[in-house]
């Protein structure tokens, strides 16, 4: 569960949840604070990984990220130089991608955004390769999605990915095809959800109710012709 809220001086992303085995990660608290221009201020994560409690606290000040890490009885800390406008994306905590979704809304193909991976991943950039606009038919209605095809410019191996956002710049989906990772919002992965393709004159979206679910389809009827007398 993820909540993005406006504060008096910026934005806050809060979330909790879990990822099942083999990762076995439970997140009790994810909280990322950004200023009004979506520049990071602090990040707090608390949870349990493979039965061991952990906590990460990162503070961003004047181009420096200070990380405090607690893992079981082990305490460590480190500092990194970061771009003040970098998006904080700790590995496996996908609520952080809400900030990336917002920032991608103002980009065009060829643009790059700075990304910081706390606590020890350093800074990289995300290059925008292409932006597509598609419609998604859901049980609740139609969503207009922007599909940002991007590349995470890791020094060892660039990683192509997709970041899908809705009209409010909220995260719909994050895909990392090279590792088979696909994280999506509940309303875009139900059995009746589908990505719209070419629309034709005479198309009509229909749903056939069944027990426990409904079948989504498009009925296309001829246009510019009188219907047959026999129906």
């Amino acid at each position: 569960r993820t909540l993005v809220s406006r504060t008096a001086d910026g934005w806050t992303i809060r979330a909790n949840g879990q990822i099942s085995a083999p990762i076995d990660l439970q997140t009790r608290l994810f909280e990322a604070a950004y200023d009004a221009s979506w520049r990071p201020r602090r990040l707090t994560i608390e949870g349990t990984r493979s039965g061991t409690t952990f906590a990460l606290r990162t503070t961003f000040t004047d181009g420096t990220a200070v990380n405090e890490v607690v893992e079981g009885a082990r305490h460590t800390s480190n500092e990194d130089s970061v771009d003040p406008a970098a998006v904080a994306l700790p590995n496996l905590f996908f609520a952080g991608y809400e900030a990336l979704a917002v920032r991608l809304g103002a980009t065009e193909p060829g643009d790059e955004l700075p990304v910081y991976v706390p606590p020890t991943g350093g800074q990289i950039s995300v290059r925008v390769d292409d932006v597509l606009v598609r419609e998604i038919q859901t049980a609740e209605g139609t969503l207009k999605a922007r599909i940002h095809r991007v590349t995470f410019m890791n020094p060892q191996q660039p990683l192509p990915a997709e970041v899908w956002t809705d009209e409010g710049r909220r995260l719909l989906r994050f895909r990392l095809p090279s590792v088979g990772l696909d994280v999506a919002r509940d309303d875009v992965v139900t059995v009746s959800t589908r990505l719209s393709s070419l629309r034709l004159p005479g198309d009509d979206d229909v749903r056939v109710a069944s027990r426990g679910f409904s079948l989504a389809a498009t009925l296309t009827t001829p246009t510019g012709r009188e219907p047959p007398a026999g129906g």
Side-chain angles (χ1 to χ4, degrees), residues 11 18 31 43 69 80 86 98 108 112 128 136 144 147 149 161 172 177 184 206 214 220 222 231:
W11 298 89
Q18 67 179 43
E31 183 173 285
L43 171 69
V69 183
D80 283 322
E98 290 283 5
E108 299 291 340
E112 293 192 12
V128 181
I136 302 175
K144 184 172 288 186
I147 303 174
R149 292 178 175 168
L172 285 175
V206 296
S214 62
T220 304

Side-chain angles (χ1 to χ4, degrees), residues 174-190:
F174 173 69
R175 297 183 65 243
L176 201 60
S178 62
V179 297
L181 177 67
D182 193 343
V183 180
R185 209 167 72 185
D186 285 347
D187 58 342
V188 297
V189 291
T190 59

Side-chain angles (χ1 to χ4, degrees), residues 112-128:
E112 293 192 12
L113 293 174
V115 165
Y116 176 60
V117 186
T120 58
Q123 181 174 304
I124 62 172
S125 63
V126 173
R127 185 186 68 210
V128 181

